[in-house]
Amino acid sequence: RIAERAEEAEWLRGVAVRLTSRLAHGWAAWLEHCEQCGMARRALAGFSRGAERRGLNSWRGYVDELAARRELLRVAAVRFSSKLDDAWAAWIDFVSERELMQRAAAPMRAVGLKRALNCWAATVEERLERLDRVASFRRNVLDGMR
């Protein structure tokens, strides 16, 4: 009885292998057929819709060209702005350095003016002192007369 069952199991295994191999071959053939049909459909669609395809391709070309131009403009703007930034920074450095030099040189240039202003200030101070003395003398004289 065990031998019969072993033979039966072997026979079933063989049938299963044949069925699965036939199914596998059939499935592969079906997939190949579907793939060929899809390729043929796409080829036919290309022939029947040639004008649409050409229009789409020209539009894609226009979009690609526009994107390339925008990128060139962006690169040029970055280069220009960086050079402009460098020039602006150099100008600011120049102006601040010039202001520092003018402040440092101002006393040397205006030595005569400085002397004149100091002399005038001294004269004004002397004049104010004299006026104060005269005013105090008047007060003393007027207070003494009363």
Side-chain angles (χ1 to χ4, degrees), residues 27-143:
W27 182 251
W30 175 251
L31 288 177
E32 185 178 339
H33 171 72
C34 289
E35 188 176 304
Q36 288 175 352
C37 286
M39 289 170 55
R41 192 177 316 116
R42 284 192 295 271
L44 285 174
F47 287 128
S48 65
R49 296 183 182 159
E52 291 175 10
R53 189 181 72 246
R54 284 190 300 274
L56 181 63
N57 286 339
S58 70
W59 180 77
R60 281 184 189 159
Y62 170 74
V63 169
D64 291 341
E65 182 181 340
L66 186 62
R69 284 184 182 175
R70 283 189 178 164
E71 180 62 21
L72 286 175
L73 284 174
R74 188 192 66 76
V75 168
V78 166
R79 286 183 182 161
F80 178 73
S81 67
S82 67
K83 287 186 179 184
L84 188 62
D85 291 342
D86 293 344
W88 184 248
W91 175 254
I92 289 173
D93 289 344
F94 169 74
V95 168
S96 61
E97 185 177 336
R98 184 174 172 155
E99 285 177 356
L100 288 174
M101 288 174 59
Q102 285 178 346
R103 283 187 196 149
M108 290 183 270
R109 282 188 307 195
V111 171
L113 181 61
K114 189 174 182 181
R115 281 190 203 137
L117 285 174
N118 286 337
C119 182
W120 177 78
T123 305
V124 169
E125 286 176 8
E126 285 177 18
R127 175 87 175 160
L128 289 174
E129 285 176 12
R130 271 192 264 145
L131 288 173
D132 282 342
R133 279 185 274 162
V134 168
S136 83
F137 178 73
R138 278 188 188 165
R139 276 189 299 253
N140 288 337
V141 169
L142 288 177
D143 285 339

Side-chain angles (χ1 to χ4, degrees), residues 11-22:
W11 181 80
L12 284 173
R13 206 174 296 129
V15 168
V17 166
R18 282 191 291 269
L19 276 176
T20 56
S21 67
R22 284 185 179 170

